[in-house]
Amino acid sequence: MEFSLEYFLQQLINGMTLGSIYGLIAIGYTMVYGIIGMINFAHGEIYMIGAFIAIITFLALALIGITWLPLVLVVMLAVSMLFTAVYGWALERIAYRPLRGAPRLAPLISAIGMSIFLQNYVQILQGARVKPMQPVLAGGIELMQRGDFVVNLSYLQMGIIVLTVVLMTVFWLIIGRTSLGRAQRACEQDRAMAALVGVDVNKTIALTFVMGAALAAVAGMMVTLYWGVIDFFIGFLAGLKAFTAAVLGGIGSLPGAMLGGLLIGLIEAFWSGYFSVEYKDVASFTILVLVLIFMPYGLLGTPEIEKV
């Protein structure tokens, strides 16, 4: 166990990188909940599919001889977002729209069923073995050094953090300043009244699922590049942690989802660095429980207003 400033700074960088990934996945949870009041438990599997599509795209590009890294990364990102957007749309159309007027337990069970289905679907298509990927973005910046210990900020970590900030800003502007964002906020407040004033509720909800799935694809590609190994089960635990992040930050709040993701990432990084890595998940959920005891709506959440 190390308590130097250099070690602390390295764990801070690692935690912010991991938290950025959790935050992107958490935004998908919070957007869907904010509009239809339901938890999309299959969202973690959409993230997992995005990771698989990213690695398949990388291998396909290498096979046809395209190796220029900037082009490869852009194509990987675009293809992953496109395909997962289609999966997100299909998920809403098949598992949620027919059950929108049903009791909340019905779409919850449907989402869990879709999660299990997508896990097994990918397992059948890709196999149960882990899929490795060679490092494609090496190098970084040495921030500090003490003895043999070097505080390193890799180019990949920089890219993950910067891309997360950019995407968060873009989505904030979309929701706050566009007609789609106004329609989403209207559906969040009252879907029936929004439909009466001309909002296409079905289209708005479908686009919300598409946007959330596209963000999950970005997170999936980041994980593929960062860890270099994926399997069909990565969506379950990452989805659970991202859902925890959304609840911690205040489910329904976009900044809350990002804040919750960063906190979960930092908790895991510091706990793994200073204590036992086996209990990092216990630490995250313990802090979630403590926060919810004193702040039931999360850090940035607001109480639901009962409509009469």
Side-chain angles (χ1 to χ4, degrees):
M1 184 163 44
E2 181 67 56
F3 291 99
S4 68
L5 174 62
E6 291 79 9
Y7 189 75
F8 176 88
L9 183 58
Q10 186 65 68
Q11 293 306 112
L12 179 65
I13 293 171
N14 296 340
M16 289 184 64
T17 305
L18 185 59
S20 297
I21 296 172
Y22 288 153
L24 286 178
I25 308 173
I27 289 174
Y29 280 107
T30 207
M31 287 175 67
V32 170
Y33 182 85
I35 290 184
I36 62 177
M38 299 173 186
I39 302 299
N40 179 15
F41 278 113
H43 190 63
E45 275 57 51
I46 298 295
Y47 147 83
M48 175 266 294
I49 288 173
F52 269 96
I53 292 173
I55 201 169
I56 291 170
T57 304
F58 175 79
L59 294 173
L61 291 174
L63 191 63
I64 61 177
I66 298 177
T67 57
W68 187 48
L69 187 58
L71 179 60
V72 169
L73 294 178
V74 169
V75 173
M76 285 173 64
L77 185 61
V79 172
S80 296
M81 293 178 72
L82 176 63
F83 275 88
T84 52
V86 173
Y87 275 99
W89 175 84
L91 183 66
E92 189 275 333
R93 191 66 183 85
I94 295 170
Y96 277 96
R97 189 178 299 183
L99 300 173
R100 201 176 292 162
R104 288 195 177 189
L105 189 60
L108 175 65
I109 294 173
S110 177
I112 294 173
M114 287 301 297
S115 172
I116 296 171
F117 168 79
L118 289 174
Q119 279 185 31
N120 287 273
Y121 160 74
V122 173
Q123 184 182 7
I124 291 171
L125 290 182
Q126 298 296 324
R129 293 183 178 180
V130 298
K131 299 294 184 290
M133 178 178 174
Q134 65 183 34
V136 296
L137 191 58
I141 301 173
E142 293 185 5
L143 300 179
M144 300 175 68
Q145 183 171 359
R146 183 181 181 184
D148 295 331
F149 188 83
V150 178
V151 179
N152 185 64
L153 176 61
S154 70
Y155 294 133
L156 182 55
Q157 289 175 320
M158 291 171 58
I160 290 173
I161 295 171
V162 169
L163 184 58
T164 299
V165 172
V166 169
L167 288 173
M168 179 67 189
T169 304
V170 168
F171 271 71
W172 178 267
L173 292 174
I174 288 174
I175 292 175
R177 300 189 180 184
T178 66
S179 57
L180 173 60
R182 287 191 292 272
Q184 288 175 321
R185 297 197 307 274
C187 291
E188 180 179 356
Q189 292 178 4
D190 192 320
R191 292 201 304 273
M193 186 58 68
L196 288 175
V197 299
V199 174
D200 189 335
V201 174
N202 287 334
K203 179 181 177 181
T204 301
I205 293 175
L207 285 175
T208 302
F209 272 83
V210 166
M211 291 165 65
L215 280 178
V218 178
M221 176 178 159
M222 288 176 177
V223 164
T224 304
L225 295 173
Y226 193 55
W227 276 294
V229 60
I230 60 172
D231 61 36
F232 73 97
F233 200 64
I234 63 169
F236 174 77
L237 192 55
L240 186 60
K241 290 180 181 178
F243 173 61
T244 303
V247 174
L248 179 62
I251 190 123
S253 168
L254 207 65
M258 202 67 241
L259 175 62
L262 287 173
L263 288 175
I264 293 293
L266 289 170
I267 290 167
E268 288 194 6
F270 282 115
W271 190 275
S272 301
Y274 289 106
F275 302 102
S276 174
V277 67
E278 288 85 1
Y279 296 100
K280 60 183 176 65
D281 295 336
V282 175
S284 299
F285 287 105
T286 300
I287 291 176
L288 171 68
V289 171
L290 291 174
V291 169
L292 293 181
I293 288 173
F294 298 102
M295 304 176 70
Y297 298 100
L299 296 173
L300 300 182
T302 55
E304 292 186 7
I305 300 174
E306 189 70 26
K307 300 180 180 70
V308 294

